[in-house]
Amino acid sequence: MSFSELNIDAFRMINNLGKDYSFLNPVVVFIAEYLLYFLFLAMILHWFTRNKKNRMMVIQSVVTVILAEIIGKIAGQFYSHHQPFAVLPNVSQLIEHGIDNSFPSDHSIIFFSICFSFWLVRKKEWWLWITLAILVAISRVWVGVHYPVDVMTGAIIGIISALFEYWLVPKISLITKILKGYERIEQRILPSKNKTENF
């Protein structure tokens, strides 16, 4: 059996869950479409804890997403295919999506970039961030807009980029200087004696 056949079989196995367990479809659609907003909200909330570790984590997350998306776009130049619903018959497509190159999955890139960046800093909550990323990856296959290879490649790109930026970003003095300058301005505008250092 070829890799392509394995990929399609794995897609069918996950996508058919939408037919067998249709009562779960609204939850899966919410995860696939709207959990991204929760992730952005989490980044904003961590930023405004006014905790330096959290803020560096958010910066690392943003830089990781940028790097990972660039790598993803490059990968898409070497290998491409359309979404499963545009190619395969009898696909359970639960959300609207344009037809373009679905490799790799942007949602997986974003979630694994940010969630893994959070995991590296906030290790006590690792289960939350990794669970969110995995749920989103599975949901994108469940709703019919990605193959397993799309989300797996996105996850690998996001994880590797997060590891690299976790090592690199703290070493970039310009980022540290900009953050310190921002915090001085913020302190003048919104004075705060009690920072949530342990959040």
Side-chain angles (χ1 to χ4, degrees):
M1 185 179 289
S2 68
F3 175 78
S4 178
E5 291 172 328
L6 285 172
N7 187 39
I8 292 173
D9 285 348
F11 167 78
R12 289 291 191 192
M13 182 179 68
I14 298 172
N15 185 248
N16 284 340
L17 293 173
K19 301 173 183 177
D20 299 334
Y21 303 97
S22 58
F23 66 94
L24 292 175
N25 286 345
V27 176
V28 177
V29 168
F30 178 84
I31 292 171
E33 287 271 73
Y34 302 110
L35 207 59
L36 189 62
Y37 298 107
F38 169 81
L39 195 59
F40 291 154
L41 178 61
M43 293 175 71
I44 293 170
L45 290 175
H46 278 90
W47 180 266
F48 284 105
T49 60
R50 304 178 80 163
N51 175 292
K52 288 186 178 180
K53 185 174 77 170
N54 285 345
R55 285 184 165 173
M56 188 58 70
M57 176 183 72
V58 172
I59 292 171
Q60 289 169 8
S61 301
V62 172
V63 177
T64 296
V65 169
I66 294 170
L67 173 63
E69 282 290 346
I70 291 172
I71 296 172
K73 297 305 180 188
I74 294 172
Q77 297 300 310
F78 290 94
Y79 179 76
S80 66
H81 52 231
H82 288 154
Q83 284 76 12
F85 67 80
V87 179
L88 303 176
N90 302 317
V91 170
S92 175
Q93 182 188 355
L94 302 180
I95 64 175
E96 292 295 322
H97 198 290
I99 299 174
D100 51 19
N101 180 18
S102 70
F103 177 88
S105 164
D106 285 326
H107 270 72
S108 282
I109 286 176
I110 292 170
F111 266 85
F112 278 91
S113 292
I114 296 174
C115 290
F116 206 79
S117 294
F118 275 35
W119 176 24
L120 290 169
V121 176
R122 302 184 64 85
K123 293 182 173 63
K124 290 181 180 179
E125 303 159 10
W126 68 269
W127 58 272
L128 171 62
W129 306 115
I130 299 307
T131 299
L132 287 180
I134 291 172
L135 284 176
V136 169
I138 293 173
S139 74
R140 300 299 287 181
V141 180
W142 184 305
V143 300
V145 298
H146 282 294
Y147 292 98
V149 69
D150 300 336
V151 298
M152 288 175 62
T153 304
I156 292 169
I157 291 172
I159 290 170
I160 292 174
S161 299
L163 287 169
F164 178 72
E165 296 301 344
Y166 179 70
W167 168 79
L168 178 65
V169 169
K171 299 179 184 297
I172 302 176
S173 59
L174 178 61
I175 291 178
T176 303
K177 289 178 181 177
I178 292 173
L179 180 57
K180 287 181 178 178
Y182 166 85
E183 288 180 336
R184 282 196 296 269
I185 295 171
E186 181 187 58
Q187 184 65 20
R188 290 174 185 170
I189 298 172
L190 298 171
S192 175
K193 295 181 179 180
N194 299 316
K195 296 184 180 180
T196 53
E197 296 293 340
N198 296 319
F199 179 77

